[in-house]
Structures are given as structure tokens and as C-alpha cells.
Amino acid sequence: MSQDHDVSHAAGPNRRRILQFGAAAGAFAVAGPVVGWMPAAGAATPPVKPKGQAVIGLSQEPTVFQPLKLHIEVDEAVYMNLFGTLWRSNPDGSFAPDLAAEIPTVENGGVSADGLHWRVKLRPDVKWHDGTPFTAEDVKYNLALLVDPKFLSGRRAGHDLVRDVTVVSPTEIAWRMERPYAPYPAILSWTWLGPKHILEKEADVNKPAFAQNPVGTGPFRWSERVPGDHVTLKAYEGYHGPGPFLETLVIKYVPDLTVLYTQFQTGDIDYIGLQGITPDHYDEAKTLKDRTVMPVPKATTENLALNTALPVFKDRAVREALYMAVDKASIIEQLYYGLPTPTESYLPMQSWAYNPDLPKQSYDPDGAKALLDAAGWKPGPDGVRVKDGVRLEFTNSTTAGNHLREQAQQLLQQNWGDIGARMTISNLPPAVMWGDYWMLSKFESAMVGLDFMVGPDPDATDYFSSQAIAAKGGGGQNTTQFVSPEADALLKEGASTVDRAERKAAYLKLQALVRRELPYLPLFQYAMVQGVKTGLEGYTPNINTQENCWNANQWRWA
Amino acid sequence: MTDTPLAPARRFAAFLPGPRRAAMRRPRSRAVSRFLRHRLAVAGFAVILLMVLACALGPLLIPYDQLHIDLRARFAGPFAGPHVFGTDQLGRDLLVRLLMAGRISLTIGFAAMALSTLAGTTVGLVAGYRGGIVGAALMRLVDAVLCFPSVFLLLALAAFISPNVVTITLIIAATGWMEVARVVEGQIRALKTRDFALAAELMGASARYVMVNELLRNAVGPIIVAATLTVARAILAEAYVSFLGYGIQAPVASWGNMLNNAQQYLGSAPWLAIFPGLMITLAVGGFNFVGDGLRDALDARVEL
Amino acid sequence: MASFLAGRMAQSLVLLVLVSIIGFAVLHLAPGGPMAQFALVPGMSQAQLAAMSHAMGLDQPLPVQYWQWFGRLLAGDWGRSYRDSVPVLAVIAARLPATLELMVAAVALAVVTGVAVGILGAVRRHSVFDALSTAGAMAALSIPTFWFGLVTIYVFSVKLGWLPSGNRSTPGDASPWGYVHHLIAPACVLALVEVAVWSRYMRSAMLDVIDQDFVRTARAKGLTERRVILHHVVRNALLPMITLAGLELPTLLGGALVTETVFTWPGMGRLFLDSLGYRDYPVVMGILMVSALLVLLGSLLADLLGAVADPRIRLG
């Protein structure tokens, strides 16, 4: 329910798009650590006083306005503009300081060489929207609240390793990590901070009055919310960064993707985010006047998850044969209009840890049949293969009502039927599908879009560690019940050092291992067709954030 | 006065013929009116018959398989080329899918009708005959269930099951028996004080005998009418649940799930939405017209 | 009268409790839960989800949960939405105006059109108009509302471009015309079924009155036929129609739910489907109770008004 996978209208980066992407990343590199991010290169002189309005159209409704609480990706579209983080992730994966004065590194003394001791300097000039100064006490309060057992926290992992938080001065905070944890900077780049002076007075931290009238440090301040319809934000003129240049930012909820597209067409909406424009409207959208429409890569990959604890999927030959029989090209070219990029890895290709040298899948039904024959799966009287009394028969589930997935499922059904594997479609409402059915591995096979990373960090322990199988009492999301001592060792290696080269070596091996073992059959990396009205300047997609309105403080009308 | 919220089926009461005294004074108009009703009912019956025949035999005559995917033939328009009604988003022949979907939708309609009529009749019979606390308790249960928006019951129940023809039928029946129960209860309550029922009881007939042989037999007319309208309602319910994505699962086609898939192609391939919708309207309309005609005819017979 | 009212009130309360028990049980027993929406948040773990469930009290036995919910309800606390922590009544109140706007517009349209068609049909009984309106009303009752909505969007928004394809307003455009413009299509779609019902009821109500003594007296006095129909027949036929308004409420609520889905109208119906999808139990229960209350009030009101309008009906 929370993610792209539900309304998976994917698109892939075409060559031109990748080039643009690279150019944008270049601009960031130039910006340097002081300002952090800058208006897109060569922009006209920004207006002094914020003016104009931009309407962001999203197909899900933001509802959680306390940024530390459990929330879903669409909520972050609001947080990015209302609240601040210590630092942000740039499109190229580097960090840019926001509330921190600089990114702590071993070189500048912010992090000790063993990765255990942290010391973060904060900007002295930041004020909350109500005028109260932002200080290290705020950071300390937030770090404590995130791991408060009574609080419905959005994320504990990582924060639960933090010990001995000390306020050194109003502009400096220090802490110790229980053990080195490489993804922590990435986690902090997705941790928006709330004001201590308001939150600590809440009668019930889980039902905060704050959420009706949130106060942050972001470029826009809260104006109003019409439930089921929109949230309006107004420019915060005391903002510590560049901008904002827009006077009003409206985040509008339109539950139907077709209606959303129509409203973009008619000009009611200036920017379509999240799932964006459905692939079947892409060709038409490209021809629209005064609209810039482009596929933007997402960190999410589309996968067929196989529950490897089931007898039918225990045999690696079955998983391999099923993968060989997938007509990936037709799914991508025909059903998704050629927009997504085929992939063999669980990581997005923009990640620094991405392994580009994995073996390429090719559609080979005959090879799949031969593989099954060799492995002893013989066709039964009804054409379905059998081995040792186990029939090559299983269900496939995903969110009911996801049209493109349902079409892909039907094609897969035909593909797999051709090699003697019978798949039955059994889709479920989201609240059922992604409940215990998914988390406790009650599914047989599932079609799912997953972001395996921790924020922008490529650590995938939650998905591949044998300790992360919820069905066996583990705490993570290893729902395919994939067990591999080798993978466990690589994951541990990758997360416990801060040296990027060492981490990368471990993750390259892990990707090769996962590609060989195939707990997930990787289909493609998502990209969403997003559209912006011409004249809205400053829009820069960022694969390391959940929503591309991450820099709306830079947006302005030409 | 009834003391309960009225069932939506009650609205069909508006189609009852006008007051009898008017009719007696104008015999000719009444005849015309009845003939007209009769004609609509006959038309409705013909439509249903035609649909059942087409769905049963049609797929045998069409040289396409409803499940065969041919991505090169996606979105072929209707009335041009080899596919008479065009093809859908996976290049499957739309006509054969419509007819196969008709088998599913009509089967669910009839089966759900049979189940809910059986359940509703039983509850209504017991409540109407026994009366007292049992009757009151049963009828309050009926009232309570009728207080729910039927969509809520359908969707909440849909979460319990893995959707297929049998389970969807059960769900629709589970949300559709109350109106029949109410009709039957009213009839039985009125009939049980009539001479023939009292006479049977005096002659020592068992309660079961009186209920089934005396009361039920005389309430058959209204039950048939309610049952006919229940088929129409069940077809609509199936369409709605499948339209929302919680009904019959692909690749099996039902009229409702064909509409669900068609929604996003409304601009580029409107025929995908128009044909299934027309089929639903025709089928539901057919049953409504027949139900209306039957009520007219059967009511009169009861009066005579 | 007073005893009738007291009896009805007591009965309605029993019904409401029954509705709450059935609703609560069906909702909570159904598989899935409010945590599912967070399952695919990057980095989410089962351990964390289980902790959340525990903190929200969702791991307690169902009767205990019901009893707590019911106890709070009696104290006037309807709970808060799981999604945005807003009190349930405030959530509903925020959406109610949109639904009421749609319903009022549709009913107004349906009453005016339906009554006019009904009068004409009764006056010119067995004319071509009468036959067509009878058949048309039956057909209107047979068209699936959601499909009719789709076809309306296709014709008037996609093809002709006359009407917006959804939503209640355009952001930034607060002009009254903008609102009316958005209202036209959904109101017409919702009104279709109601027009059919109202026209049929009006027609038979007219026929009930048209041959009564006082009408013949009026005719005998030499009044024009037009005056007889308008002043004597229509006026008397309209009285029983008042009750119809109360009785049609459940149908109208159901129709509004469907219409709101198709037209992405930000009202109660959409809230209901969204909340059901997210398993936002407090909000779903809140809407169920409010709509059950409305349905019961509607039928009570219908009975009362019916009695007031027609002295022959005695309540008790």
C-alpha cells in the first residue's frame, strides 16, 4: 500500500534521461558543503520575495504530520518541505548538510576511525517556524523519542544503536554507537526532526495535537489541510537555506491515476509525483504542449518473490527454470511500454554498490524445459510437472486492482504453463496482502516492488539475512525465507565497516549470490513517468529520496 | 406501519398497479396497462433467454480462446477486422470473453439467488410463523444487517476468502437474503391467521406441515417475484465487487472484472468499458422487467 | 404518540448495538490489519510491526477490544483515526459537507424531475409518454451506477470536454461556478436512480388521489382541469411522498458511495472505502454507526411525517 509497487506504473531511464541525470548530479557536486544544494545551473536571478503557487498531484494521501511517527512514503513529500534533516541525500548519493553545519567524517573529526564516536556540529541560524531557535536539545529529544518503547516510531533500526547522547553546546551534539553501523548516515538523511518545545508537551505522543498544526524548520510552513483533498503550505521567509521562491505549495491528493493525469493535462496540477503518469498515457503525454514529461528512475525493483521454504520452490532448478521462462521483454516492452529497465540485481543501477556484471536472463522456454527434465520434474497426465509427489503448481499474489501487474501475471501464467508449471492468480486487497500474508511468508509466490536499501544505503540485511525471517521469529522482512550462511557473512561484512571500497566488494558478491540462488526473480527497475508544467524551474529528480519534490524550495516560475 | 428501515427492494412497490377501484372503473385501461407490462416482461424474458443461450453456445462457435494472450493484437477496435467486438489489453477476443464472462456472472446471479432465497425464506417462514421472541429476534437481526451499506458487507466479507465463483456466490447470498426474509415474514404473518391455516392446525397438522404445505405454498408468488429481483441484484453485486478488484480473479472473466480493467483505457479503448456495461444493464434490466411482470400476474392470481 | 416514540427509540438503540457488534466482529475478524500499509516501507521489520500492534492494543482478545471501544463510545469518545490521529467525529465532519452537497443536489434534481414525470405520467395515463417513462424508469434502475458514471465521464469529459472528470473543485479556483461545474456530472449520475423511484411513486400517489370524491367535487364545481390537478391532486399526492425522502436515505447513501468513488469526490463514501482499505478501524466503525443512525432516523422520520400527513394512520 505504501509504495510504487501498488500502482506500478513504471518507467525506465532512457539514454537522454540518464544524461540529464548526470548533469544534475554534477551541479550538486559543484555546490559544495556550505550551501548544500543550489538552483539548477544557469538559472535566472531568483525573485527576492516568494511568489506564485505550485500544485503537486499525488495519488496517495499524506496523513501523518508528525515526522518521527510511523508513516508511508507519500507523507515524506510533506516532510521534505515542512521539516529539516541533519543532512540530505543528493541525487548522486552524496550528502548535503541541512540542519548540520557540515557532514561528519573521519577527516573532519566528526566520526572516530572505528565509526563508534560521533560529533555533529549544527547550524546556529536555524529557527522553527514559530520563531524558537533550533538547538542540539531538539536533536537529542528526537533521537530519544525514536526509540521510546511507548512511541509508534517510524524507524528504530539504527537509532537503537545510539548511546550516551550528549549536548556539547547548543550547536554541537555527540553520541556513541553500540557497534559500527555503516547505513546510519543514510538513515539520518531520512530522519526529519520535530520541535522539542512543542512535542514534549503532548499529552499522548502517539496522538499528537502537533499533527493538526505542525511546526518545522523547512522552507515552507503549515497553512491548512482539507482531509481527503489537499495540504497547503506557505513560504517560510526565515528559512535558513536558499529559497523558497514559491509563495504557496499545494499537495493535492487525487486517488485515481487517470483523473490525476487528466488534471495534469488540463493544467490543474503543475507536477505529478509518486507513481506519476501511467505508462499507457506516456506517448500521449509526451505530445502535450507546455509540459515536460520524463521517465525518472526509482530505487524500487519489481520482483517475483518465491517462498523458498515451500517444497515446490526448494529446488534451485525450479527457480532457475521459472526465471528462464519469463518473457521479460514482452512484459517490459508491451505491458509497460518499454519504460522500465530490465535488471538482474535487487539494487538500483544508480547505487554505488550496483553490480553490472550479473548474468543476463533471456527468454528460453526450451532451456527451462530441459532444465526441469534434467532435475527430474516430469510432466504428469494433465501437463503439470511432478517430482517426488510435489506438483509444480503454485499461486501468485499481489495487490488486487493493480492493472499492469495483473496483466503481467496473466502473461506469466501463459509463459509458465508452456513449460508445465501451473500458476494460479490469487490477488488480495492491500491490507490483507501486505499484512501477515506477506510478512509471515504465508504466500506461495508474490509480485512485489521493493526498495531493498536502507534509505540511500545498499545494506539489504532485512531482506536476505537468515536472522530476518519473521515466519521463524526473526525481526526483518526476509519473506522468501532465503537462508544462506554465505549471504549472512557478506551482509555482516558490508554493514560493519565504513570503508566504501570494502563494502562495495561484499555487496558485489552478495548480488551475484542472490542472482544465482534466485529467492526473487528480478524483473526490472522501476522508473515513473513524471511531468512538470513548463516554466516551473528547479525540478530535479532524486533517486535517493522517496519523492521528487525534495527540493521544492528551489522551485519557481520562470 | 412497519417500524424498520425499508429494504431497497421496496422501491419496486412503486411499480405495482394503481388502486384497484380505478382499474374496476376503467377495465379497458387496465387491460392495456397489463398488456404493456406483459409485453415488457416478455421482452425481458426474451433478453435473458437469448443471453443464456449465447453464453452457453456462443463460445463454441467463436474460433478464439478466451484466455489466449496475443500481445501483437492488443486494443483492436470493434467492428473492424477478425475480432467482431475488438480485443482487450492483452489481445484476447472481447466477444468470447464477454460470453464466457456471462457464464460466470449469470451463474453467480442464479446461484446467489437460490441460496439467498432459501435462507431468506427459511428465516422469514420461521419468524413469521413462530412470532414472539424468536420472530422478533430474527427480524431485528434482519433489520440490523440491513443497516449496513451493502458495499461494506461485501468488501469486508471479501477479505475473508480467496475469491472464486463459489466464494463470491456465497458472499453475495450472505448479503442478499434479508429482503426475501422480510417479504416472506410479512406474507406468512398475514396468512397464518387465515381460515385454511387455522383449519389445518385444528385438524392436528404438525407445525412443519402447516408451514410448508399450507403457508409457504400460498406465499410462493411473492417469493418468486423477490427471487427474480434478487438475481438482478446479485448480478449487480458481482459486477461491483469485481469492479473494485475483490471479485472474480483474472484470467477468468466476469462482466465486473472486465469493467475494472477497462476503466483506465476509457480514453483510448472505450469499447472495453461499454460492452461489459451494456451486458450487465441488459441482464439486470431483463430480470427487473420479468420480476415486475411476474408480480403483476402472480398478485392477481393470489387475489382471485 | 409519546409511547410510540419511546418504543421506537428503544428499538433503534438495540439495533445500533447489534449493528456495532456485527460491524466490529466482521471488521476485526477479517484478515489483514492497519499495519499492512507500513509493511513495505523501506527497512520495516516484523518486530517493529508487532510492537506497533501491541501499542495500539490490537493484540488483545476481540471481546476486550470491543468492550473498550464501546465503553469509550458511551463516554462520548469515538476514538481517533489510525492514519492522521484526528478524532473520528472530526474526520467525518470534515467529509460530510461534500457528501451532503452531492446528496442534496441529487435529491433536488430527482424530486423536481421525478415529480414532474410522475404527474405527467398519471395525467396522461397509458399515453406514449407514460409507457416510455415506465420503461425508462425500469431501465434506470438496471444500469450499474459506477458504469453510468464511467460512461458519463467518457462522453462529457473525455470526448466533449464539457465537464471536469472528477473532484469537487479546482485548486486555487474558489469561484461558485467552479464548484457547480464539478457538481453537475456526479449529481446527475446519483440522481438517475432517484428520478426513477420518485417518478414511479409520484405516479401511483397521483392515481391514488385522482379518483377520490373531493377531486370529483372540485371538477363538479366547474374548476378547470389544470386547476384541479395542480391544486387538489398534486397537493394531496405530495403528502405521502414526504415519507419517501426518509425511506430513500439508505439507497442514497449507498449511491453516494459509488458515485464518490467514480468521480473522486472527497466525501464520506470515499473516506469509507479508503478507511476500509487501510483498516482504519475507528473511522470505519464511526461511519458505520453514523450511517446506521441516519438510516434509522430516516425511517422514524418517514413514519412520523407519514402520520402527520395522513391522519388515518395511527401510530402505536
Coordinates of all heavy atoms in Angstrom, one line a residue, chain B residues 55-94:
Chain B
C55 N -24.4 -17.3 -24.2 CA -23.3 -17.6 -23.3 C -23.0 -19.1 -23.3 O -21.8 -19.5 -23.2 CB -23.6 -17.1 -21.9 SG -23.6 -15.3 -21.8
A56 N -24.0 -19.9 -23.4 CA -23.8 -21.3 -23.3 C -23.2 -21.8 -24.6 O -22.3 -22.6 -24.6 CB -25.2 -22.0 -23.1
L57 N -23.8 -21.3 -25.8 CA -23.3 -21.9 -27.1 C -22.3 -21.0 -27.8 O -21.5 -21.6 -28.5 CB -24.6 -22.1 -28.0 CG -25.7 -22.9 -27.3 CD1 -26.9 -23.0 -28.3 CD2 -25.2 -24.3 -27.0
G58 N -22.4 -19.7 -27.6 CA -21.6 -18.8 -28.4 C -20.1 -19.2 -28.4 O -19.5 -19.3 -29.5
P59 N -19.5 -19.3 -27.2 CA -18.1 -19.6 -27.2 C -17.7 -20.8 -28.0 O -16.5 -20.9 -28.5 CB -17.8 -19.9 -25.7 CG -18.9 -19.1 -25.0 CD -20.1 -19.2 -25.9
L60 N -18.6 -21.8 -28.2 CA -18.3 -22.9 -29.0 C -18.1 -22.6 -30.5 O -17.4 -23.2 -31.3 CB -19.4 -24.0 -28.9 CG -19.7 -24.4 -27.4 CD1 -20.9 -25.4 -27.4 CD2 -18.5 -25.0 -26.8
L61 N -18.8 -21.5 -30.9 CA -18.8 -21.1 -32.3 C -17.7 -20.1 -32.7 O -17.4 -19.9 -33.9 CB -20.2 -20.5 -32.7 CG -21.4 -21.3 -32.3 CD1 -22.7 -20.6 -32.5 CD2 -21.4 -22.7 -33.1
I62 N -17.1 -19.5 -31.7 CA -16.1 -18.5 -32.0 C -14.7 -19.1 -32.0 O -14.4 -19.8 -31.1 CB -16.2 -17.3 -30.9 CG1 -17.6 -16.7 -30.9 CG2 -15.1 -16.3 -31.2 CD1 -17.9 -15.8 -29.8
P63 N -14.0 -18.8 -33.0 CA -12.7 -19.5 -33.2 C -11.6 -19.0 -32.3 O -10.4 -19.1 -32.7 CB -12.4 -19.4 -34.7 CG -13.0 -18.1 -35.0 CD -14.2 -17.9 -34.2
Y64 N -11.9 -18.3 -31.2 CA -10.8 -17.8 -30.3 C -11.0 -18.4 -28.9 O -12.1 -18.7 -28.5 CB -10.9 -16.3 -30.2 CG -10.7 -15.6 -31.6 CD1 -11.8 -15.0 -32.3 CD2 -9.4 -15.5 -32.1 CE1 -11.6 -14.4 -33.5 CE2 -9.2 -14.8 -33.3 CZ -10.3 -14.3 -34.0 OH -10.0 -13.7 -35.2
D65 N -9.8 -18.5 -28.3 CA -9.8 -19.0 -26.9 C -9.8 -17.7 -26.0 O -9.0 -16.8 -26.2 CB -8.5 -19.8 -26.7 CG -8.4 -20.2 -25.2 OD1 -9.4 -20.1 -24.5 OD2 -7.3 -20.6 -24.8
Q66 N -10.7 -17.7 -25.0 CA -10.9 -16.5 -24.2 C -9.6 -16.2 -23.4 O -9.4 -15.1 -22.9 CB -12.0 -16.7 -23.2 CG -11.8 -17.9 -22.2 CD -12.4 -17.5 -20.9 OE1 -12.7 -16.4 -20.6 NE2 -12.5 -18.5 -20.0
L67 N -8.7 -17.2 -23.2 CA -7.5 -17.0 -22.4 C -6.3 -16.7 -23.2 O -5.2 -16.4 -22.6 CB -7.3 -18.2 -21.5 CG -8.4 -18.5 -20.4 CD1 -8.0 -19.7 -19.6 CD2 -8.6 -17.2 -19.6
H68 N -6.3 -17.0 -24.5 CA -5.1 -16.9 -25.3 C -4.6 -15.4 -25.4 O -5.3 -14.6 -26.0 CB -5.2 -17.5 -26.6 CG -3.9 -17.5 -27.4 ND1 -2.9 -18.3 -27.0 CD2 -3.5 -16.7 -28.4 CE1 -1.9 -18.0 -27.9 NE2 -2.2 -17.1 -28.7
I69 N -3.4 -15.2 -24.9 CA -2.9 -13.8 -24.9 C -2.1 -13.7 -26.2 O -1.3 -14.5 -26.6 CB -1.9 -13.6 -23.7 CG1 -2.8 -13.7 -22.4 CG2 -1.2 -12.3 -23.9 CD1 -1.9 -13.7 -21.2
D70 N -2.3 -12.6 -26.9 CA -1.6 -12.3 -28.1 C -1.3 -10.8 -28.1 O -2.1 -9.9 -28.5 CB -2.5 -12.6 -29.4 CG -1.7 -12.3 -30.7 OD1 -0.5 -11.9 -30.6 OD2 -2.4 -12.4 -31.7
L71 N -0.1 -10.5 -27.6 CA 0.3 -9.1 -27.4 C 0.3 -8.3 -28.7 O 0.3 -7.0 -28.6 CB 1.6 -8.9 -26.6 CG 1.4 -9.4 -25.1 CD1 2.8 -9.3 -24.4 CD2 0.4 -8.7 -24.4
R72 N 0.5 -8.9 -29.8 CA 0.6 -8.2 -31.1 C -0.8 -7.7 -31.5 O -0.9 -6.7 -32.2 CB 1.2 -9.0 -32.2 CG 2.7 -9.3 -32.1 CD 3.1 -10.5 -32.8 NE 2.2 -11.6 -32.4 CZ 2.2 -12.8 -33.0 NH1 2.9 -13.0 -34.1 NH2 1.5 -13.8 -32.5
A73 N -1.8 -8.3 -30.9 CA -3.2 -7.9 -31.3 C -3.9 -7.1 -30.2 O -5.1 -7.0 -30.2 CB -4.0 -9.1 -31.6
R74 N -3.1 -6.4 -29.4 CA -3.8 -5.6 -28.3 C -4.6 -4.5 -28.9 O -4.3 -3.9 -29.9 CB -2.7 -4.9 -27.4 CG -1.7 -5.8 -26.9 CD -0.7 -5.0 -26.1 NE -1.2 -4.7 -24.7 CZ -0.7 -3.9 -23.9 NH1 0.4 -3.2 -24.3 NH2 -1.2 -3.7 -22.7
F75 N -5.7 -4.2 -28.2 CA -6.5 -3.0 -28.4 C -7.0 -2.9 -29.9 O -7.0 -1.8 -30.4 CB -5.8 -1.7 -28.1 CG -5.3 -1.6 -26.6 CD1 -4.0 -1.6 -26.3 CD2 -6.3 -1.6 -25.6 CE1 -3.6 -1.6 -24.9 CE2 -5.9 -1.6 -24.3 CZ -4.6 -1.5 -24.0
A76 N -7.4 -4.0 -30.5 CA -8.0 -3.9 -31.8 C -9.4 -3.4 -31.6 O -10.1 -3.9 -30.7 CB -8.0 -5.3 -32.5
G77 N -9.8 -2.5 -32.4 CA -11.1 -1.8 -32.3 C -12.3 -2.8 -32.7 O -12.0 -3.7 -33.4
P78 N -13.5 -2.5 -32.3 CA -14.6 -3.3 -32.6 C -15.1 -3.1 -34.1 O -14.8 -2.0 -34.7 CB -15.7 -2.9 -31.6 CG -15.3 -1.5 -31.3 CD -13.8 -1.3 -31.4
F79 N -15.8 -4.1 -34.6 CA -16.4 -4.0 -35.9 C -15.4 -3.7 -37.0 O -15.7 -3.0 -38.0 CB -17.6 -3.0 -35.9 CG -18.5 -3.1 -34.8 CD1 -18.7 -2.1 -33.9 CD2 -19.2 -4.3 -34.5 CE1 -19.5 -2.2 -32.8 CE2 -20.0 -4.5 -33.5 CZ -20.2 -3.4 -32.6
A80 N -14.2 -4.1 -36.9 CA -13.2 -4.0 -37.9 C -12.2 -5.1 -37.7 O -11.8 -5.4 -36.6 CB -12.4 -2.7 -37.8
G81 N -12.0 -5.9 -38.7 CA -11.0 -7.0 -38.6 C -11.7 -8.2 -38.1 O -12.9 -8.3 -37.9
P82 N -10.9 -9.2 -37.8 CA -11.4 -10.5 -37.4 C -12.1 -10.6 -36.1 O -13.0 -11.4 -35.8 CB -10.2 -11.5 -37.4 CG -9.0 -10.5 -37.2 CD -9.4 -9.2 -37.8
H83 N -11.8 -9.7 -35.2 CA -12.4 -9.7 -33.8 C -13.6 -8.8 -33.9 O -13.5 -7.6 -34.0 CB -11.4 -9.3 -32.8 CG -10.2 -10.1 -32.7 ND1 -10.2 -11.3 -32.0 CD2 -9.0 -10.0 -33.2 CE1 -9.0 -11.8 -32.1 NE2 -8.2 -11.1 -32.8
V84 N -14.8 -9.4 -33.8 CA -16.0 -8.6 -34.0 C -16.2 -7.4 -33.0 O -16.4 -6.3 -33.3 CB -17.3 -9.5 -33.9 CG1 -18.5 -8.6 -34.2 CG2 -17.2 -10.6 -35.0
F85 N -15.9 -7.8 -31.7 CA -16.1 -6.7 -30.7 C -14.7 -6.2 -30.3 O -14.5 -5.5 -29.3 CB -16.7 -7.3 -29.4 CG -18.3 -7.3 -29.5 CD1 -18.9 -7.3 -30.8 CD2 -19.1 -7.4 -28.4 CE1 -20.3 -7.3 -30.9 CE2 -20.4 -7.5 -28.5 CZ -21.0 -7.4 -29.7
G86 N -13.7 -6.5 -31.1 CA -12.3 -6.0 -30.8 C -11.6 -6.9 -29.8 O -12.1 -8.0 -29.5
T87 N -10.4 -6.4 -29.4 CA -9.7 -7.2 -28.4 C -9.4 -6.4 -27.2 O -9.5 -5.1 -27.2 CB -8.3 -7.7 -29.0 OG1 -7.6 -6.5 -29.3 CG2 -8.5 -8.6 -30.2
D88 N -9.0 -7.0 -26.1 CA -8.7 -6.3 -24.9 C -7.2 -6.0 -24.7 O -6.5 -6.1 -25.7 CB -9.2 -7.1 -23.7 CG -8.4 -8.4 -23.4 OD1 -7.5 -8.6 -24.2 OD2 -8.7 -9.1 -22.4
Q89 N -6.8 -5.6 -23.5 CA -5.5 -5.1 -23.3 C -4.4 -6.2 -23.4 O -3.2 -5.9 -23.5 CB -5.4 -4.4 -21.9 CG -5.7 -5.3 -20.7 CD -7.2 -5.3 -20.4 OE1 -8.0 -5.0 -21.2 NE2 -7.5 -5.8 -19.2
L90 N -4.8 -7.4 -23.5 CA -3.8 -8.5 -23.7 C -4.1 -9.2 -25.1 O -3.6 -10.3 -25.3 CB -3.9 -9.5 -22.6 CG -3.4 -9.0 -21.2 CD1 -3.6 -10.0 -20.1 CD2 -1.9 -8.7 -21.3
G91 N -4.8 -8.5 -25.9 CA -5.1 -9.1 -27.3 C -6.0 -10.3 -27.3 O -6.0 -11.0 -28.3
R92 N -6.9 -10.4 -26.3 CA -7.8 -11.5 -26.3 C -9.1 -11.0 -26.9 O -9.5 -9.9 -26.8 CB -8.1 -12.0 -24.9 CG -6.8 -12.6 -24.2 CD -7.0 -12.8 -22.8 NE -7.3 -11.6 -22.0 CZ -7.1 -11.5 -20.7 NH1 -6.6 -12.5 -20.0 NH2 -7.3 -10.4 -20.1
D93 N -9.8 -12.0 -27.6 CA -11.0 -11.6 -28.3 C -12.1 -11.2 -27.3 O -12.4 -11.9 -26.3 CB -11.5 -12.8 -29.1 CG -12.8 -12.5 -29.9 OD1 -12.6 -11.8 -30.9 OD2 -13.9 -12.9 -29.5
L94 N -12.6 -10.0 -27.5 CA -13.6 -9.5 -26.5 C -14.9 -10.2 -26.5 O -15.5 -10.4 -25.4 CB -13.8 -8.0 -26.7 CG -14.3 -7.2 -25.5 CD1 -13.4 -7.2 -24.4 CD2 -14.7 -5.8 -25.9

